[in-house]
Amino acid sequence: MPEQSPAPAEPPVRILWVFAWLVVGGEETEVRLLAEALDRRKFRVDVVACFRKDGMPEQTHRQLEALGVDVDRTPYHLSFEDTVAYLACKIPTYDIVVSSQNVADVYPALERLHLRPPLIEHGGLVEEALAGPKHFTARYVGVCRSIRDAAAGRMPGRETQALVIPSMVDLKAFRPGDRALARAEFNVGPEVPVIGWVGRLDRKKRVEDFLAAAALVARDRPDARFVIIGGPDAFMPDYADTLRRQATLLGLDGRLRFMGDRPDVPMLLAGLDMLAWLSRHEGMPHVIAEAGAAGLAVIATPDNGALEQITDGVSGLFVPHEAPEAVAKAMLHLLDEPSLRQRLGGALRAKVEADYAVDAVVSQWTALFAAVLEERVPAPPPTLFRSFMQGGFESSTHRRHDGRRLDVIASIAHDTHAAADYRTLAQHGILTVRDGLRWHRIETAPGRYDWSSFLPMLRAARETGTQVIWDLLHYGWPDDIDIWRPAFVDRFARFAAAAARVVREETGGVPFYAPVNEISFFAWGGGDAAYLNPFARGRGHELKVQLARTAIAAMDAIWNVEPRARFVHADPVINVIVHPERSHERPHAAGHHQAQYQGWDMIAGHAWPQLGGTPRHLDIVGVNYYFNNQWIHGTGPIAADHRDYKPFRNMLAETYARYGRPIFVAETGIEGDLRASWLSGMGVEVRAARHAGVPVEGLCLYPIADHPGWDDDRPCPNGLLSLTPSPEGRVGDPALAAEIRRQVVLFGIAPNP
């Protein structure tokens, strides 16, 4: 058993940044700088991009990945509908979602969820702020006031939830000493005047006005040179070709260079003497702040965020829209007045240091993250079970490879000491337990039932006031049945109905049943891995379908006997990741991850509805979680300190968001001296999940009693109760007993009558 604790007491806040597309621009720079600046002990930023068009640069992808940010490209190969479904699975595993570029896929994904993390929309254009619904938006962040105001107009009664956080600039990336390097890139001498333009070649940025102004300047200052830094926009690649032709027609060949997309923009800015930015309908031009960081004088059109960045004549010069003559005049004026260039550039640098530096902006983001997390509505008090803390008795009855049948309940004498065991658990505040019927001992021949192995346990529960969730099929079945045959379903349904009649006759409360334990794990172990009976390979999905059909038929049969019956469907929750050097395996890992839901989906009728499943059948979702439920695809388990270890709280949120059904931790535990610390960590995670709105109804330690190992009969010290009973009762593990008492106090949830 590995020497590890379950998870850090307070894992980083998980932030998913969703882009419509990932190119090179202000919003991409924002997430990159934010990911770099945030304390990684407190925050983790992942990125998913929903669309890619041929010609889009990979520069931002590489920059983010170099910082350790996971950049999920999966949607690039998906349809819109499949992307929505993919995001609906991914989003709930995060604490906060930030959406940039008015991502069309986000709201349809959120609509599918029963629990949603706070959504922050980040807008760089007024048109983005005006588009799309806002009813799930916890905050709208505009990069300037005009964008903020546009969003506020779409949020009546919630106008204060639209705010401004300007795009940030990393001042340390701008070094005056880089001027010589930049000049070498431009292939000009140190005294040659160079005027620049920086950005994606997008028509709204009016690059043609820069070219026209450059041609006018070149007539009066033939020594001047011009550079355009930035590549084509993938949605309008012909615009870049048009600009190149225009430059030639204007006689700028040899005077102007198209530099393309560059990752070293700060270095190149050091080589300029001024920058021109002539956009119309831009948001907040990030390049103006970058030019200020480089100490450059800027000539700009008075457009949205530029009006917040520049004070005309103080920290830059404004020129009219679509007026190349005015632009050329301003350029010539600045070329003739080096002191003015220096004064304007210095004032803009001071503005950047005060308002756009990383430290100034990151603190606004962290305050925002804290605010939206604080606004989450905690889950209501649990009402489903008698006690929140629960215990489960291992009930396996399958046959091993050697032909021997397990009967764990008998091997620890729980069947003959059930009343004493229940009383002992009650002393620890555990009034709800998972326990099992042993089908092979009850149905001694087809249709012939001997309840002598069950009635003492049932009556012990009644006498001690213990609420029991009865497992009906815990891996084992009578030897005369073929699990693959249709008759298996009918036979089990008749057995389930007979058991329900016995329970109804003996007890008066609402009965709880687990029809088929761990359908997905059972299907893998018995149908693919040949680990469990029936020891098959390559038939896992077939077995999963059969087990789901069996569970549905059993529920229908029980409801015919007892309409009040409640049903638990327990299965492991898992996290499958890929090794960084095998990113091509991501789709395979995602497939394994999604397979964990297939059993529940079949029960609910979301998949294979011909089996008879309906939302009503998926009554109570039980999640099972152990130390090895997270692993690298094709490798092995990951430890709690692994970067991609997913906090259990997020796994609970993911499962509840998918189904919206009552949920509880149906199994968890570990062996040996780690038992108490494991429970402590699980308590932290469950309380965090409840605080985030996941209505977790219980936490079940499983197994609650030590037992012989499945495969080798070794003693497994994983419970509160010892393996062997004595006249004084079972000797409990003192450390775990103390931790259970502590957890009962920490949860502060009184038993239900």
Side-chain angles (χ1 to χ4, degrees), residues 390-396 407-415 417-418 420-422 424-425 428 430 432-435 457 626 666-672 675 700-710 714-726 729-733 736-737 740:
Q390 302 169 17
F393 289 92
E394 172 62 69
S395 304
S396 297
D407 188 342
V408 180
I409 287 177
S411 67
I412 65 172
H414 171 59
D415 48 357
H417 290 76
D421 290 341
Y422 294 158
T424 300
L425 295 182
H428 293 83
I430 296 175
T432 299
V433 303
R434 289 188 63 195
D435 217 326
M457 298 169 65
Y626 295 99
E667 293 185 18
T668 193
I670 202 166
E671 286 191 14
R675 281 175 280 188
C700 181
L701 283 170
Y702 196 100
I704 197 65
D706 299 346
H707 63 89
W710 276 8
R714 68 177 180 84
C716 296
N718 47 13
L720 168 69
L721 309 181
S722 62
L723 188 152
T724 306
S726 69
R730 298 183 193 265
V731 177
D733 177 74
L736 183 56
I740 291 172

Side-chain angles (χ1 to χ4, degrees), residues 299-315:
I299 300 166
T301 46
D303 191 47
N304 290 327
L307 291 165
E308 296 176 30
Q309 295 170 298
I310 291 173
T311 299
D312 191 28
V314 175
S315 54

Side-chain angles (χ1 to χ4, degrees), residues 453-589:
S453 65
F454 175 53
L455 283 172
M457 298 169 65
L458 181 62
R459 291 166 180 167
R462 183 186 63 197
E463 292 165 6
T464 60
T466 301
Q467 180 189 52
V468 181
I469 303 165
W470 294 108
D471 279 22
L472 299 178
L473 176 55
H474 203 111
Y475 304 135
W477 58 90
D479 288 331
D480 66 308
I481 306 174
D482 183 351
I483 194 172
W484 301 104
R485 306 291 294 176
F488 180 90
V489 177
D490 299 332
R491 177 94 167 258
F492 181 71
R494 290 192 294 271
F495 163 70
R501 283 190 287 270
V502 172
V503 172
R504 185 188 61 187
E505 292 167 1
E506 291 284 335
T507 63
V510 174
F512 285 74
Y513 300 99
V516 179
N517 182 61
E518 294 191 319
I519 288 175
S520 287
F521 178 77
F522 193 167
W524 171 81
D528 279 327
Y531 171 59
L532 292 172
N533 195 18
F535 308 118
R537 293 190 184 275
R539 301 183 69 180
H541 193 265
E542 179 186 354
L543 183 55
K544 190 176 294 186
V545 170
Q546 177 75 333
L547 294 173
R549 180 185 286 114
T550 299
I552 293 164
M555 285 185 279
D556 289 339
I558 290 173
W559 273 325
N560 286 334
V561 173
E562 174 53 274
R564 301 178 303 163
R566 303 296 302 271
F567 296 99
V568 164
H569 303 283
D571 243 323
V573 288
I574 63 173
N575 177 38
V576 186
I577 65 173
V578 295
H579 192 280
E581 296 178 1
R582 301 197 301 271
S583 59
H584 62 279
E585 295 180 353
R586 187 189 286 267
H588 303 288

